[in-house]
Amino acid sequence: MGPPPPDTWARWFARWFDSLAPSNIDWCEANHAISPYVAEFWNAMSSVPMTLVAFYGLYMARRHMRFEPRWGMAWFLLGIVGVGSALFHATLKHAFQACDELPMLYCNLVFVYLMLEEKSAGRSPPWRVKAANLRPPRKRWLAPLLIASGVVQTVCYFLYPHVYEIFLVSYVSVVAWLTIESVRRAWFAPDATPLTRTLVKLALAFYLGGAALWIFENAVCGVKGEMGGGWWMQAAHLHAFWHAGACMGTYHFIEFCAARRGAALFGTENVTAGGGTLLVPLYVVHHQTGEGERKRR
């Protein structure tokens, strides 16, 4: 017997897709207004650049920094968030909503690791750095603790699939800590630099600006239906602007962590920045000891 005809596969896929539970939220954008195959067209399309930005960040990290697995994990998860967000908004199915929201939670856990381990010496780093401010890593307890936290968040997420507040509280609480700690380290820490302050300013401007639009849209439309704000709110596409703000805010936050990590490894004089234009966002450069100072001269 040969394979079933293509229309059989199409019918099977249609039945499977229809059997999926709907998402527990429905954003303000009118559903299927642009395409019968895409529920929220502009929300889905505005998610794609997040994955492209993640590839850009990963490329720049491998080219201009002392690359460590932590950077690969951070940029990889940001790219996964972009893919999951596009699938979620295109389908409004809970299975794909999980592909968006769970990677967001996992991203936050990686960001906590980046901040808590920015001055970790590592067990056997691939370069020989004898910086006085490095300390033994917390990996023996920190990584298992963060993994366990991710498991608990995942279990709660699927045990209570219709309680959107579980995701919201889990996400916002960690973002709040990351924001407060970033501001403290960028302005009030003894090793704060103009570069780290610039990166945090950009991260906060993008992220909080996008979050303000997200809050305003939800205050008008709500998260349980698309008709609360009327056509004028649907035409504004504020959720798409939230995607742009969250994307670039997260990008500059990771670069901030990279600047702090480079300063811990090589000293602040050996951490510089490139880019800073509309087409080439600011990126961090780690120099070998003394190389950054020679370049400044």
Side-chain angles (χ1 to χ4, degrees):
M1 295 178 60
D7 61 326
T8 301
W9 289 111
R11 287 196 297 269
W12 176 87
F13 179 82
R15 286 196 299 270
W16 169 79
F17 185 82
D18 291 338
S19 69
L20 295 176
S23 62
N24 57 25
I25 50 179
D26 184 356
W27 304 108
C28 198
E29 181 180 352
N31 295 343
H32 302 287
I34 303 297
S35 169
Y37 303 105
V38 180
E40 296 176 343
F41 183 85
W42 294 113
N43 285 351
M45 292 302 103
S46 62
S47 303
V48 175
M50 192 174 299
T51 301
L52 302 179
V53 168
F55 277 116
Y56 171 83
L58 180 61
Y59 171 77
M60 288 301 183
R62 294 190 65 87
R63 183 175 181 183
H64 297 290
M65 290 165 41
R66 286 297 187 180
F67 193 77
E68 300 175 87
R70 65 184 71 188
W71 309 121
M73 183 62 68
W75 292 118
F76 171 76
L77 282 176
L78 180 60
I80 292 298
V81 170
V83 173
S85 178
L87 291 173
F88 165 43
H89 289 291
T91 64
L92 289 182
K93 296 293 187 178
H94 190 265
F96 296 110
Q97 182 181 350
C99 294
D100 174 23
E101 293 174 346
L102 287 178
M104 292 172 66
L105 299 179
Y106 303 154
C107 254
N108 277 354
L109 297 178
V110 172
F111 296 159
V112 170
Y113 180 89
L114 293 183
M115 298 201 77
L116 293 181
E117 290 289 76
E118 68 178 18
K119 294 186 177 180
S120 167
R123 293 183 179 178
S124 42
W127 56 94
R128 306 195 187 297
V129 179
K130 300 295 183 182
N133 59 342
L134 294 183
R135 53 163 177 71
R138 297 186 178 101
K139 287 181 180 178
R140 291 183 179 179
W141 62 267
L142 179 59
L145 178 63
L146 293 176
I147 292 172
S149 176
V151 170
V152 170
Q153 289 176 334
T154 303
V155 170
C156 292
Y157 185 92
F158 286 111
L159 280 179
Y160 306 98
H162 299 295
V163 184
Y164 181 64
E165 290 73 16
I166 290 179
F167 161 75
L168 202 59
V169 171
S170 300
Y171 180 74
V172 172
S173 59
V174 180
V175 168
W177 180 84
L178 292 172
T179 301
I180 294 170
E181 191 62 18
S182 299
V183 170
R184 186 190 71 80
R185 297 187 189 194
W187 272 274
F188 304 106
D191 53 353
T193 66
L195 175 58
T196 57
R197 281 192 290 273
T198 297
L199 290 167
V200 172
K201 286 178 184 178
L202 290 169
L204 292 178
F206 278 111
Y207 197 92
L208 296 182
L213 297 177
W214 185 90
I215 292 171
F216 176 73
E217 182 188 67
N218 291 336
V220 176
C221 285
V223 297
K224 300 297 184 182
E226 65 187 48
M227 300 306 295
W231 67 267
W232 64 278
M233 280 295 295
Q234 294 176 8
H237 299 299
L238 297 186
H239 199 92
F241 287 101
W242 149 248
H243 285 164
C247 172
M248 296 309 299
T250 304
Y251 170 86
H252 286 98
F253 171 78
I254 297 175
E255 292 297 318
F256 161 73
C257 293
R260 295 276 304 176
R261 178 61 172 165
L265 292 174
F266 307 114
T268 57
E269 70 278 4
N270 291 300
V271 178
T272 60
T277 66
L278 182 62
L279 296 179
V280 183
L282 206 64
Y283 59 88
V284 169
V285 180
H286 294 173
H287 300 281
Q288 296 287 346
T289 304
E291 184 182 344
E293 187 63 30
R294 290 195 299 271
K295 285 181 178 287
R296 271 190 274 269
R297 292 175 186 171

